[in-house]
Amino acid sequence: MTGIVFQIQRYCIHDGDGIRTCVFLKGCPLHCPWCHNLEGISPKPQTDKIGSVYGTEMTAEEVCAAASRDKSYYALSGGGVTFTGGEPLAQADFLAETAELLKKDGISVAVETSGFAPSAAVEKIVPFTDRVLFDIKSFDGGRLKNIIGAEINAIMRNLAEFSAAGIPITLRCPVIAGFNDNDAHFENIGKLAGDTENVTAVELMPYHRLGVDKCKRLGVEPHEFSELSRDLLTRAENTVRAYFGNVKVM
C-alpha cells in the first residue's frame, strides 16, 4: 500500500516522548485559518511558486525504512515515530499498515490528530498506537463548524474511543487570539483533561506566524493573528492547572 507523505523530519523532541521521527501525511478535512502546515491540507502532491514539491508517494515499507534509521536514538531516549500532517487519520489504511510494521520492528508509534475523522479510522489505528496527541481547538460546536469545518460530536466521540482503549493521551490545544483565548475555554480544557481517563498531559500551543510565508508560496491569502502575550499564556496555564496538574506552554 502507498500513501502521500510531504515530509519526514528526524530528531524531533516536541512531538511525544524522547527523540522522534515525524512523518507528515497529506490531506486534512479542516481549514483552520491559523494552519502552519498549509502544504498538508490537499491530499494531492503540490508544487509552490518557487518549485518546492510537497507530497511524495511512498510505500509503508519505505516509510518504515526511513524511520528505522534512528532506532538506536529511540531506544536510548524512549522515543519513536509520530504521525502528523495534515490529518493522519485521513489516510487511515496507510497509517495503520505503516504503524503495524513499525510496531513489529519494536518502534513506538504516536499519532497527532484533530480527532475529526470517522470512527472506522480510529478503530483501524488503535491497535498500533502507543500515544495520541489530540487537538482541542474549541468547545463551541458552532464556531468549530463555521470556522474550521469540524463537528464537535465526532471529535469528542473519538477522544472517548482513544480513552476507552487505554491509550495515553496528550491534549494539544492551539491558543489563537480572538478564537479561543479566554478563561472559559481554558477552564474547559482543564475539566476535560481531569475527567477523561488516560489523559496524561496538556500542552498549550501558542499561535505563530510560520504559515504566513507558506501561504504566499502556495498562492493562498494568509490569515494573520496577533501574537499572544506572556501574561495571557501564564494565565491560561494557571487556569488549566486549577483542574489538571500536568500542563505546559510549548
Side-chain angles (χ1 to χ4, degrees):
M1 179 179 292
T2 62
I4 305 297
V5 178
F6 69 91
Q7 186 177 10
I8 296 179
Q9 185 174 350
R10 303 168 67 198
Y11 307 119
C12 301
I13 59 173
H14 298 299
D15 300 282
D17 299 329
I19 297 171
R20 311 193 70 81
T21 294
C22 285
V23 178
F24 293 78
L25 300 183
K26 265 185 96 35
C28 181
L30 304 182
H31 40 81
C32 303
W34 55 85
C35 181
H36 62 274
N37 282 341
L38 272 295
E39 71 274 37
I41 295 177
S42 170
K44 299 179 181 180
Q46 295 168 277
T47 302
D48 69 13
K49 291 182 177 180
I50 62 173
S52 298
V53 177
Y54 304 108
T56 301
E57 187 173 4
M58 298 183 71
T59 65
E61 290 79 8
E62 287 172 331
V63 173
C64 290
S68 296
R69 294 165 58 188
D70 292 325
K71 279 186 69 174
S72 60
Y73 293 103
Y74 309 151
L76 287 171
S77 67
V81 173
T82 298
F83 289 92
T84 182
E87 170 51 66
L89 292 180
Q91 295 191 55
D93 291 332
F94 177 70
L95 171 58
E97 181 174 318
T98 310
E100 182 177 14
L101 289 176
L102 289 167
K103 294 288 292 175
K104 287 179 179 178
D105 198 23
I107 297 174
S108 176
V109 172
V111 176
E112 181 176 18
T113 176
S114 69
F116 185 55
S119 294
V122 175
E123 292 168 3
K124 287 174 183 176
I125 70 161
V126 158
F128 315 114
T129 303
D130 298 298
R131 175 170 289 278
V132 176
L133 309 175
F134 197 100
D135 292 358
I136 295 293
K137 297 175 172 64
S138 176
F139 294 87
D140 184 326
R143 177 162 287 198
L144 281 173
K145 179 66 174 178
N146 295 331
I147 295 178
I148 68 174
E151 296 283 354
I152 193 167
N153 290 339
I155 291 170
M156 292 305 172
R157 178 198 69 219
N158 289 333
L159 177 63
E161 186 163 345
F162 283 122
S163 174
I167 299 172
I169 299 166
T170 297
L171 295 184
R172 285 199 142 178
C173 308
V175 185
I176 312 298
F179 179 76
N180 60 12
D181 57 335
N182 58 80
D183 290 343
H185 176 67
F186 303 130
E187 288 177 6
N188 285 332
I189 290 171
K191 291 174 182 177
L192 180 66
D195 293 343
T196 305
E197 290 188 21
N198 300 308
V199 171
T200 63
V202 172
E203 296 176 349
L204 301 178
M205 317 288 287
Y207 167 78
H208 57 69
R209 299 182 70 258
L210 292 181
V212 174
D213 286 341
K214 289 182 184 179
C215 283
K216 295 175 182 177
R217 295 200 304 269
L218 289 167
V220 177
E221 185 68 28
H223 294 83
E224 295 193 55
F225 295 82
S226 300
E227 299 283 349
L228 298 158
S229 70
R230 171 46 58 182
D231 286 347
L232 184 144
L233 294 171
T234 298
R235 188 176 81 242
E237 183 178 4
N238 290 337
T239 301
V240 175
R241 186 169 284 116
Y243 300 92
F244 185 83
N246 187 16
V247 54
K248 62 181 177 180
V249 176
M250 300 298 285

